[in-house]
Amino acid sequence: MSQILRDARKYEELMEKKLAKQERPEFHLSARIGWMNDPNGFSFYKGKYHLFYQYNPYASHWGSIHWAHAVSQDLLHWEQFPAALAPDNDYDRDGCFSGSAVTMEDGRHLLMYTGVSKEMQPEGEMKDIQSQCIAIGDGIDYEKHPRNPILHKEHLPEGGSPYDFRDPKLWREEDGSFFCVIGNCDKEKDGQILLYSSKDGIDWKYEKILIKNHGRFGKMWECPDFFSLDGKQVLLVSPQDMLPQGFEYHNGNGTLCLIGTYDKETKTFTEEHNQAIDYGIDFYAPQTVLAKDGRRIMIGWMQNWDSCGGNSEERAWFGQMSLPRELSIKNGKLYQQPIRELENMHGTQVKYENITFTDILKLDHIKGRKVDMELSIHSANTENIYRKFAVRFAQNEKFQTSISFRPYESTLKIDRKFSGSRRAIIHQRRSFVKNEAGEIKLRLILDHFSVEVFVNDGEQVLSATIYTDLAADNISFFADGIVTMNVVKYDII
Ligand code: FRU
C-alpha cells in the first residue's frame, strides 16, 4: 500500500471522530470527512452492498481525488471502510476519477476507474490526460494493476478526446464476458458514449461508439450507465453545459435517461424516449446496481456542480448521496421509488383522512426533520379548483422550504430560498405536472439536510439539500382555494 493511501486512511479515522453524529444526515450516506462527489463502484459483493465515492479527505471542496468506500446490508445503514484508492501513481497522480465495480470469475472485486494526469501538450498547454485503470481486491484492500492504464488514447475512435475520456461503467453478460461504457466527446466537444469489451476484465478491446449526442443534450457526457429494465434498455448520462428545454431539462449539469432497445448481436442501441432523472436542484452522476432479488437500484450524488457554491468551508464534510431508488419502466417511462427497506425504519404512523382546509393548516404530530410523509391531495370542489397547494417544512419563524403545486399552471415548484442559504445559488426549480383537477400525490422524505419528493408514485422526483438549522422542524400546509388532503406520516427511526 502506498504512503499516500496510508496517510489518507490514518487521517480519515482520526478526523471522523471529531464529527458529531447529529450534524450529519441519518440514513443518507455522507462524506466520511472532507468532500464527496459521484457514487462509484456500486456493487453487491460478498453478501453486502459496496459503494465507493469521489473523495477529497483533506478539505470540504473538490481536490485530491481518492475513492472512499462504504458498505451496507440495507443501503440505509452504512459503515465507512478505509479509503480504497489514492492518487499515488504516475497515471492517476491528479485524481482517481469515477468508475465502477464487478465481481471477477475467481471471486475477486474488480474496480475500473479513470486515472488523471496533467501533461504538457504539444501546443504548450497543460491538460488532463484521462485513461482507464483497474484495481483488484478483496472488498477492503485493492491493488492497482501493473499494466495500468489499460485503456488510453490508443483505444479511442477517430476524433475522440483523450482529455475527456472518463467514468467507465462495467457489467458482465450471462456468458461471463465483461463490457463497459465510457463517457467521451468528439472533435466538436460533443458527447458520445464508447463501448468496450473484455474476456477477463483486464485485456480490453474497443467496440464502437454506442451513441452520439448530436448536439441535443449539453456537451460532454459524464458518468454513463447502461442496463436492461422491464424489457427495455436504459442509458443514464450526466451531460455538462445543458441548455434548458421547457421544464424537462435545466441549464448546466443535468442528468437524463435514454430508454430504447438493445440488440446484443450487433451492439446497437435504438432510442425511443428521453427524460430527466431528477427535477429538483441537487442530483448528479447516478449509478445503479442490480440487487440479488433483481431490483435495479440507483443512487445519485445529491449535489450538483452548479449549486456547490452553497457550501460553507466551516463544515468538516460536504456531499451526500441520494436515497437509493428502485427503478422501473411503465408506459415507456422511467419511474423511481424509495427503496422498500426504508419501511423497516418507520416509527409509529400518524394518519389524517379527508382534511378539508383553506389558508394555513398545522396538524398535531406532523413535524420533524427525519420524516417519510405521503400526501394525497385533491380539490374540495370540482367546479372551483384550488389555485395553489403548498407544504412547508424545515420551518420555524425564520426559515422554511416548500413544495407547491399550481394546477392551473401545471407546475410543481421546490423553493429553498428561505432555508438559511447565504449564497446566490439556485434556490427554486419547477417541473411540469399536469392535473387540471388538482389531484396529486407527494411523498416527501426528509433527512436532516435534504428533501426528496416522489411525485405520483414515482413519475418524477425532485431532490434538494437544505442546510437549515435542525431546530427548524415544523411542517405546515397552505391552500389558496379549498383543498382536501390525506396524510400518512412516519418518523424515521
Ligand atoms: C462528474 C465528474 C466525473 C469525474 C468526477 C471527478 O461529477 O466530473 O466525470 O470522473 O466527477 O471527480
Side-chain angles (χ1 to χ4, degrees):
M1 190 189 309
S2 71
Q3 193 56 42
I4 299 178
L5 183 58
R6 219 176 288 136
D7 288 347
R9 286 181 168 195
K10 231 193 266 162
Y11 183 81
E12 61 188 4
E13 209 184 313
L14 182 76
M15 297 305 282
E16 179 192 46
K17 294 199 184 100
K18 302 188 178 171
L19 285 175
K21 190 171 176 282
Q22 63 273 22
E23 286 163 15
R24 286 182 170 280
E26 183 92 8
F27 52 98
H28 288 73
L29 181 66
S30 56
R32 184 170 182 186
I33 183 79
W35 165 270
M36 160 197 277
N37 60 292
D38 315 356
N40 294 157
F42 195 14
S43 52
F44 190 79
Y45 182 66
K46 289 189 182 162
K48 286 184 179 160
Y49 292 101
H50 288 249
L51 186 66
F52 303 80
Y53 55 88
Q54 293 284 282
Y55 178 45
N56 176 16
Y58 302 113
S60 53
H61 54 73
W62 192 87
S64 165
I65 291 298
H66 295 57
W67 272 38
H69 187 186
V71 174
S72 177
Q73 208 69 260
D74 65 355
L75 296 161
L76 296 167
H77 298 85
W78 291 96
E79 186 186 344
Q80 300 268 9
F81 270 29
L85 301 176
D88 51 14
N89 274 275
D90 257 5
Y91 52 82
D92 63 13
R93 60 173 181 252
D94 291 302
C96 298
F97 280 17
S98 285
S100 54
V102 288
T103 305
M104 297 177 79
E105 213 44 49
D106 60 10
R108 289 179 300 162
H109 205 198
L110 176 77
L111 312 181
M112 193 194 268
Y113 68 98
T114 300
V116 178
S117 63
K118 287 196 193 307
E119 279 166 34
M120 184 61 80
Q121 298 307 296
E123 326 81 70
E125 219 185 317
M126 282 295 268
K127 278 193 166 176
D128 281 1
I129 296 294
Q130 308 194 330
S131 54
Q132 317 316 318
C133 308
I134 52 182
I136 301 176
D138 59 0
I140 300 174
D141 297 312
Y142 294 84
E143 210 169 300
K144 291 180 184 173
H145 202 277
R147 295 224 312 269
N148 279 342
I150 45 93
L151 283 174
H152 44 78
K153 61 176 187 293
E154 310 284 296
H155 302 93
L156 284 168
E158 162 91 48
S161 166
Y163 316 120
D164 286 295
F165 177 40
R166 57 182 178 270
D167 312 334
K169 178 66 175 32
L170 294 160
W171 75 92
R172 296 191 67 184
E173 287 292 346
E174 262 150 32
D175 65 3
S177 56
F178 295 72
F179 282 87
C180 76
V181 279
I182 304 182
N184 184 228
C185 61
D186 63 16
K187 276 204 212 89
E188 277 71 50
K189 295 204 157 44
D190 196 21
Q192 58 188 12
I193 300 300
L194 310 179
L195 179 71
Y196 294 84
S197 69
S198 168
K199 287 204 172 67
D200 56 5
I202 292 162
D203 273 310
W204 286 85
K205 177 175 141 222
Y206 169 73
E207 290 283 349
K208 66 188 292 191
I209 298 174
L210 183 68
I211 179 166
K212 286 181 79 72
N213 182 23
H214 295 299
R216 295 171 300 163
F217 308 111
K219 293 185 173 178
M220 168 65 187
W221 280 10
E222 301 188 309
C223 302
D225 197 345
F226 193 57
F227 51 87
S228 63
L229 182 67
D230 297 335
K232 293 281 180 192
Q233 188 74 17
V234 181
L235 178 81
L236 308 181
V237 282
S238 296
Q240 298 179 313
D241 305 303
M242 294 271 284
L243 290 173
Q245 291 179 33
F247 288 133
E248 190 63 26
Y249 299 115
H250 57 74
N251 316 56
N253 284 76
T255 53
L256 59 92
C257 66
L258 300 174
I259 299 176
T261 55
Y262 185 54
D263 180 342
K264 283 189 189 178
E265 285 300 306
T266 60
K267 305 184 177 65
T268 307
F269 177 58
T270 310
E271 268 181 70
E272 291 165 357
H273 169 73
N274 66 77
Q275 166 187 346
I277 299 177
D278 196 286
Y279 296 83
I281 303 170
D282 293 304
F283 193 82
Y284 197 64
Q287 194 172 88
T288 69
V289 68
L290 186 64
K292 266 274 165 298
D293 57 12
R295 285 178 295 166
R296 180 60 66 172
I297 299 174
M298 179 181 76
I299 269 188
W301 178 39
M302 195 162 46
Q303 288 295 158
N304 186 292
W305 292 111
D306 294 313
S307 55
C308 283
N311 183 22
S312 145
E313 286 287 327
E314 287 152 32
R315 200 179 300 112
W317 63 271
F318 185 73
Q320 314 176 43
M321 290 300 164
S322 72
L323 196 70
R325 304 173 183 175
E326 294 180 13
L327 302 185
S328 60
I329 292 183
K330 281 182 215 153
N331 305 320
K333 293 191 178 151
L334 185 76
Y335 275 71
Q336 306 170 52
Q337 288 282 21
I339 43 155
R340 61 196 69 168
E341 283 82 345
L342 187 63
E343 285 151 36
N344 301 332
M345 294 181 79
H346 280 172
T348 31
Q349 191 190 66
V350 179
K351 197 170 171 179
Y352 290 93
E353 271 177 345
N354 290 315
I355 305 251
T356 295
F357 73 102
T358 182
D359 206 20
I360 292 170
L361 173 75
K362 287 183 183 154
L363 293 170
D364 284 348
H365 308 294
I366 304 288
K367 66 184 312 188
R369 287 286 288 273
K370 287 186 296 159
V371 167
D372 182 352
M373 177 171 74
E374 184 153 76
L375 310 173
S376 311
I377 287 129
H378 64 266
S379 195
N381 185 334
T382 49
E383 309 283 275
N384 186 9
I385 309 300
Y386 67 87
R387 279 162 300 280
K388 175 181 163 184
F389 163 82
V391 48
R392 297 165 177 160
F393 45 90
Q395 185 182 32
N396 61 9
E397 317 73 55
K398 216 167 156 192
F399 303 123
Q400 67 173 48
T401 295
S402 65
I403 303 289
S404 55
F405 180 50
R406 287 180 171 77
Y408 288 112
E409 294 171 19
S410 303
T411 55
L412 183 69
K413 180 167 129 187
I414 184 159
D415 187 346
R416 61 171 180 186
K417 186 174 174 190
F418 299 104
S419 66
S421 156
R422 290 179 191 273
R423 297 268 80 86
I425 54 168
I426 291 166
H427 293 118
Q428 299 164 341
R429 192 154 273 149
R430 280 179 293 172
S431 78
F432 178 78
V433 178
K434 198 170 173 65
N435 191 301
E436 278 138 14
E439 281 169 30
I440 191 168
K441 239 164 130 181
L442 301 170
R443 183 168 170 194
L444 270 74
I445 298 182
L446 305 179
D447 180 8
H448 283 176
F449 303 113
S450 64
V451 55
E452 287 159 285
V453 188
F454 291 79
V455 184
N456 293 334
D457 299 308
E459 199 176 86
Q460 288 188 3
V461 190
L462 290 84
S463 307
T465 54
I466 42 168
Y467 291 101
T468 315
D469 183 350
L470 289 176
D473 66 349
N474 288 330
I475 298 177
S476 66
F477 305 94
F478 171 82
D480 177 1
I482 313 175
V483 162
T484 300
M485 173 173 79
N486 293 335
V487 183
V488 180
K489 179 243 174 191
Y490 302 90
D491 284 324
I492 303 288
I493 49 170

